[in-house]
Amino acid sequence: MGLLGLIKMVSRISRNNSRARVYPARYFQSRDLSGSNFFHGKDAKLPVLIVGAGPVGLVLSILLTKLGVKCALVDKATCFSKHPQAHFINNRSMEIFRKLDGLAGEIERSQPPVDLWRKFIYCTSLSGSTLGTVDHMQPQDFEKVVSPASVAHFSQYKLTSLMLKRLENLGFNVQISKESDGLELDSDVTGKVLMGHECVAIDANNGSVTATVAFLKGGKRMERNIQCSILVGADGAGSAVRRLTNVEMRGERDLQKLISVHFMSRELGEYLINNRPGMLFFIFNTGGIGVLVAHDLLQGEFVLQIPYYPPQQSLSDFSPEMCKMLIFNLVGHELSDLNVADIKPWVMHAEVAEKFMCCENRVILAGDAAHRFPPAGGFGMNTGIQDAHNLAWKIAALVQGSAKSSILNTYETERRPIALFNTSLSIQNFRAAMSVPSALGLDPTIANSVHRFINKTVGSILPTGLQKAILDNVFAIGRAQLSESLLNESNPLGHQRLSRLKSIFEGGKSLQLQFPAEDLGFRYQEGAIVPDNESGAGDPEAPSGRRRDYVPCAEPGSRLPHMYVKVLSDSTREVIVSTLDLVSIDKVEFLLIISPLQESYELARATFEVAKEVKANVKVCVIWPSRSDDGAVRDSKSALAPCENVVDVMEVKEESGGEASWWSICKMTERGSILVRPDEHIAWRMKSSVPSEPTLHMRDVFNIILGKQ
C-alpha cells in the first residue's frame, strides 16, 4: 500500500470522525505474509505446536481447536502434577471459562463454599491468638452486576483435569508417557497431548519452525523433529523455549526463596471449618513463621510456604519429619492424620520477557514463560489465561486468511504492557504482605540483608554448618519479638505494634485478594484496535496495591461491558444472556452492536459488505431499550435483509430498579456503535454518530485491525 495509501486511509477515518487518532505506522510490517503463505511454508505439517501442558497451554489448545486450528501439545513432565500450585481464578478468567463448555459452572460447583475461603487470617498459631482477620468478599462480588462470573478458589491440578476432559471431548488424545512408550518417529502429532516429551532444540527458518523433542522409548532416549508454522512456549517460569531462543527476562530477581510443603490433614480441615475458616493463614510465633494456603478445607488439603535461605539451608533440612514438626508448631498441636505429600523449593521473581515474539513471529511466549510474578494477588495464571485468549483468535484469523501475519505483532503490543503493569501490582501486593511482619518487629528486608551479608563475607571462610548456626541464631533473636510476654496489650511496645497492625488491616493496606479494576478494566492502548481521541489518554493509573472497584468502559481496547439482555426471537422460551455471550467462541467473528436506527442499519449493511471483502465473519446485534410492553415490534431482520447474521436483544434492567441503559453504561449515545473483537475486547467505536461514508470507513477499520495493507 505504501505511505501514501496509509495516509489516505487514515485521512478517510479522520473525515468521518474528527477525533480519530492517526494510527502508528509501526503496526504495518514492510514484509508481510498472508495467512496462506504463513501456514503453508516448506514442509510445514502442523499449524501450531504448544510447548507446555499447564493451564495456559491447555486453554490455548481448547480455544484454537474450537476456532478450527489444528494443534498439538508437548510437555517434558511424564505425568500431570498433583501439587495444588495456583488456586485463585479471577473474574476475567472465569468469564473465559464460561464459554469453554461449562467449565466455569463446573468449577463453581466443585470448589469449596465461599464462606470457607473468603478470609485471610493472621495469628500466632492456628489454635492460638488471632492478630487480625480480613474478609475479601464484598456484597457486590456476589451480585454479578459488572460480570456474569464470580471469582473462584480451585487448585490448579483440579483445573487441569477439567481442561483435559474438554480437550478429550474435542477429539484430543492425551498420552501419559511411560518409559516404553513414545511417538513413532513418523507419526502425526495433531490432536495429541504428549507427556514426557521435552523440547530440546528449536530451528526457525525457511518459513517454518522445527522443534526437536526428546522422549524415552524402550529405555533409550530418542529424538524426533516436529515441524510447525507457529510454536508457542507456554512451558512455565523456567521456559525451555525462552532459553532456546535466547530471550532475556527483565525485572527483579530472587525476591524471596521458599519451601513449599504440600500436605493433607482432614483433622486440621475440620478444626478450621469449625473455628476459623479462611484461604490464607499468616502464622507468626517464636518457633517459626509460615503462610498456610488452605486449598480445600473439606478435603483437608494444604500448602505451607516457608522462607528458605540456601546455601546455609538445604532441601535436606526440610525432610518430611522436620516439616511435620514445623507444621505441628504452626498449628499449635499435633495432628494424627498428617501426611506430607510433596516438598519442593521455589524462587519468587518479578520479571517480564524483553519480547514475547521472535523468529519472524513464529515463536511466541505466553504465561509464566513470558512473565513471572510474585503470587500475591494471583496474577500469574490469570494473566497467562488472558494471554491465550488474546492470541488464539489472531492465530485463527491468520490461518483462515482474513488477517496478515502482522496481526501477531499486536499480541506483544497488547499483552506485554499488561504483564508489566501486573508485575508492578504484584510487587505492591507483596510489599503490602510484608507490612504485617514489619509491624510486628520482623522486617523481612533485614533477614534478607543478613543472609546476603553472610554469603558475601564469612560465606567463603566458615564451614556451612557454622554459617547455618549463625543464621539460625539471628532468626531466633528476630522471632523473639513474637513472644507472648512482648506481643500483648499490656506491654507498651506490644500495644504499639498491635495498634499499628490494626491500622493496616482497617485501612486495607494488607495483602489483597481481589482487584476488580485491574482484572476487568485493563485496556489495550494500541494493537489490533482503532483508537480515538475521546479515549482516556496516557498510561493507566499506577498500581496502589489496594482494591479498587471496576467502572465499565467502552473505549477501544477495553473489555466489552457486561449487561444482561433478553434475546428476542420467535421462540416462546425466554433466553437471557450477558452481552459477553453475544461474542462467539467457536469461530473468528466480530460483533457490531448498534441501536434500532436507520443510519445504524446502513452502517451494519456496510459492515457486512466489507467483512465479505476481507473474508471476516461479522454478527450484528441490535440492542432495543427496555420499556414496558408497548406492543412495538422489536425485529430488525427485515430492515437488514438479506443479511442473516443478526440478533435482536432487549436490555434487562436490574431487579434493584437501576435505570442505566446499555448506552449510558458505555457512556455513549444510542446513535453510537461498537465493534467487538473475538476476544470480547472493543476494536472500534463511534460514540454518538455514524460515519458519513460507512463502507469506506469500515474498510479502513478492518484493514487496521487485521493488519491488511
Side-chain angles (χ1 to χ4, degrees):
M1 177 168 72
L3 180 59
L4 181 60
L6 177 61
I7 292 172
K8 288 180 178 178
M9 182 174 68
V10 174
S11 297
R12 283 197 297 270
I13 293 181
S14 297
R15 285 196 300 270
N16 286 312
N17 180 1
S18 60
R19 295 182 179 273
R21 182 182 302 163
V22 175
Y23 206 77
R26 64 178 176 273
Y27 291 150
F28 300 93
Q29 294 183 322
S30 58
R31 179 179 179 271
D32 206 348
L33 296 171
S34 66
S36 59
N37 290 332
F38 195 89
F39 283 89
H40 296 87
K42 182 181 178 181
D43 298 326
K45 295 181 179 179
L46 181 70
V48 181
L49 176 66
I50 302 167
V51 179
V56 176
L58 293 174
V59 166
L60 181 59
S61 62
I62 294 171
L63 292 170
L64 288 174
T65 303
K66 282 182 165 291
L67 293 172
V69 179
K70 294 181 179 180
C71 60
L73 295 95
V74 296
D75 195 297
K76 69 178 182 180
T78 56
C79 61
F80 290 96
S81 172
K82 290 294 184 182
H83 196 286
Q85 296 175 288
H87 58 96
F88 179 68
I89 308 174
N90 70 18
N91 278 105
R92 187 64 187 126
S93 295
M94 286 294 281
E95 288 178 351
I96 296 168
F97 291 168
R98 287 177 75 245
K99 294 189 172 183
L100 301 186
D101 304 318
L103 177 57
E106 190 165 0
I107 290 170
E108 289 175 348
R109 292 189 297 273
S110 304
Q111 70 174 347
V114 68
D115 284 342
L116 298 186
W117 55 265
R118 60 190 294 163
K119 296 177 181 178
F120 291 177
I121 295 172
Y122 300 79
C123 55
T124 57
S125 74
L126 296 183
S127 54
S129 301
T130 298
L131 300 172
T133 300
V134 180
D135 188 342
H136 292 282
M137 302 300 288
Q138 299 182 6
Q140 63 264 34
D141 297 329
F142 303 99
E143 295 170 356
K144 297 189 176 181
V145 173
V146 297
S147 173
S150 298
V151 300
H153 173 48
F154 196 63
S155 299
Q156 181 172 317
Y157 78 91
K158 297 177 182 177
L159 176 63
T160 297
S161 178
L162 297 185
M163 289 179 176
L164 286 171
K165 288 181 183 178
R166 279 149 182 81
L167 263 185
E168 289 173 339
N169 291 339
L170 291 171
F172 265 69
N173 180 12
V174 181
Q175 296 186 357
I176 305 299
S177 176
K178 298 178 181 177
E179 186 176 323
S180 59
D181 295 335
L183 280 174
E184 297 298 332
L185 295 182
D186 59 351
S187 63
D188 183 14
V189 301
T190 303
K192 291 183 171 64
V193 180
L194 302 169
M195 304 302 292
H197 289 75
E198 181 179 4
C199 181
V200 295
I202 296 172
D203 180 22
N205 56 47
N206 297 326
S208 68
V209 179
T210 300
T212 302
V213 297
F215 57 94
L216 290 177
K217 184 175 178 65
K220 295 181 180 179
R221 184 180 185 275
M222 302 190 72
E223 293 183 353
R224 69 157 293 173
N225 293 332
I226 301 176
Q227 279 195 322
C228 58
S229 295
I230 289 178
L231 185 148
V232 179
D235 50 340
S239 171
V241 173
R242 189 181 66 235
R243 174 176 49 81
L244 292 169
T245 52
N246 298 312
V247 176
E248 298 291 332
M249 300 294 281
R250 300 280 186 262
E252 297 185 44
R253 293 183 58 82
D254 297 343
L255 289 173
Q256 182 76 58
K257 293 182 175 68
L258 299 111
I259 293 288
S260 178
V261 183
H262 176 205
F263 70 92
M264 306 292 294
S265 173
R266 287 188 178 272
E267 181 183 334
L268 179 58
E270 290 174 6
Y271 172 80
L272 292 174
I273 288 172
N274 294 326
N275 293 277
R276 48 172 67 164
M279 176 193 284
L280 297 186
F281 297 82
F282 299 82
I283 310 167
F284 307 94
N285 64 45
T286 56
I289 296 171
V291 178
L292 184 71
V293 184
H295 280 266
D296 193 326
L297 290 178
L298 294 172
Q299 296 179 357
E301 185 168 27
F302 302 90
V303 170
L304 177 64
Q305 305 288 2
I306 314 163
Y308 176 46
Y309 297 94
Q312 291 78 22
Q313 294 177 335
S314 66
L315 188 57
S316 62
D317 293 326
F318 296 89
S319 65
E321 285 305 313
M322 289 296 294
C323 288
K324 283 184 178 181
M325 296 303 295
L326 182 57
I327 291 168
F328 291 159
N329 169 65
L330 296 177
V331 170
H333 56 79
E334 293 191 3
L335 301 167
S336 61
D337 65 344
L338 176 61
N339 177 35
V340 175
D342 188 25
I343 304 167
K344 63 181 183 180
W346 64 283
V347 183
M348 185 188 301
H349 303 290
E351 296 179 303
V352 176
E354 60 181 346
K355 55 186 177 182
F356 287 11
M357 324 275 295
C358 61
C359 306
E360 295 185 334
N361 292 352
R362 292 186 180 274
V363 178
I364 303 171
L365 300 177
D368 286 355
H371 38 73
R372 306 190 290 203
F373 307 143
F379 289 99
M381 180 181 71
N382 289 295
T383 304
I385 288 165
Q386 290 144 36
D387 289 344
H389 196 219
N390 180 285
L391 181 60
W393 76 270
K394 295 174 181 178
I395 292 177
L398 184 55
V399 170
Q400 295 161 13
S402 61
K404 291 290 188 75
S405 61
S406 59
I407 196 172
L408 296 181
N409 291 346
T410 68
Y411 166 69
E412 179 177 318
T413 302
E414 293 176 352
R415 292 304 302 169
R416 192 169 184 274
I418 301 300
L420 290 168
F421 183 90
N422 287 350
T423 302
S424 298
L425 185 51
S426 296
I427 292 173
Q428 289 281 354
N429 216 20
F430 173 66
R431 289 173 179 163
M434 295 302 99
S435 68
V436 172
S438 295
L440 295 173
L442 296 170
D443 189 340
T445 61
I446 294 178
N448 290 331
S449 296
V450 169
H451 183 229
R452 284 194 297 269
F453 177 78
I454 292 175
N455 288 337
K456 291 179 179 179
T457 55
V458 299
S460 60
I461 303 171
L462 298 179
T464 302
L466 185 54
Q467 292 180 51
K468 183 176 184 298
I470 294 172
L471 196 66
D472 287 346
N473 285 330
V474 170
F475 289 166
I477 292 171
R479 290 196 301 272
Q481 305 291 319
L482 303 170
S483 66
E484 291 185 5
S485 61
L486 178 61
L487 197 62
N488 65 76
E489 293 289 353
S490 300
N491 185 297
L493 181 57
H495 174 76
Q496 181 186 50
R497 288 176 174 175
L498 292 173
S499 296
R500 190 183 310 155
L501 202 59
K502 183 179 180 181
S503 175
I504 289 172
F505 295 141
E506 292 180 349
K509 298 177 183 178
S510 61
L511 175 68
Q512 298 297 298
L513 176 65
Q514 291 204 70
F515 294 86
E518 290 77 15
D519 293 342
L520 295 174
F522 67 89
R523 180 165 71 90
Y524 303 135
Q525 302 288 331
E526 55 182 13
I529 62 173
V530 182
D532 62 50
N533 284 337
E534 296 183 59
S535 300
D539 295 328
E541 182 179 339
S544 65
R546 301 191 190 184
R547 172 173 172 147
R548 294 183 299 157
D549 289 332
Y550 162 73
V551 178
C553 173
E555 295 176 358
S558 301
R559 155 198 169 271
L560 181 70
H562 154 72
M563 182 183 193
Y564 284 115
V565 293
K566 181 168 71 173
V567 178
L568 303 175
S569 67
D570 297 332
S571 172
T572 56
R573 185 169 64 94
E574 185 176 85
V575 178
I576 295 177
V577 299
S578 167
T579 45
L580 297 168
D581 297 328
L582 300 171
V583 182
S584 175
I585 193 72
D586 298 316
K587 57 183 173 180
V588 180
E589 181 180 74
F590 291 85
L591 176 71
L592 179 67
I593 301 177
I594 60 173
S595 290
L597 302 173
Q598 184 58 41
E599 59 262 43
S600 298
Y601 292 154
E602 292 175 6
L603 175 66
R605 280 190 287 269
T607 303
F608 277 122
E609 179 185 338
V610 170
K612 186 175 181 180
E613 290 176 11
V614 300
K615 301 178 182 178
N617 296 309
V618 169
K619 176 166 65 180
V620 170
C621 171
V622 181
I623 292 192
W624 295 79
S626 174
R627 299 191 182 101
S628 58
D629 189 5
D630 53 12
V633 177
R634 297 182 175 90
D635 185 357
S636 64
K637 292 181 177 60
S638 58
L640 288 170
C643 304
E644 296 181 350
N645 199 9
V646 178
V647 59
D648 289 285
V649 301
M650 186 172 69
E651 300 167 345
V652 174
K653 293 299 179 67
E654 299 174 36
E655 293 181 2
S656 58
E659 291 301 317
S661 70
W662 166 253
W663 297 108
S664 64
I665 289 173
C666 294
K667 300 178 180 64
M668 298 169 61
T669 74
E670 65 176 6
R671 297 185 67 242
S673 47
I674 298 172
L675 185 67
V676 188
R677 307 187 323 189
D679 63 351
E680 300 165 4
H681 280 256
I682 294 170
W684 164 91
R685 70 167 179 181
M686 294 286 284
K687 287 191 71 173
S688 58
S689 64
V690 172
S692 58
E693 298 178 85
T695 301
L696 286 173
H697 187 93
M698 297 311 295
R699 185 176 293 122
D700 291 342
V701 166
F702 274 98
N703 282 337
I704 289 174
I705 296 167
L706 298 172
K708 289 178 173 287
Q709 295 187 25

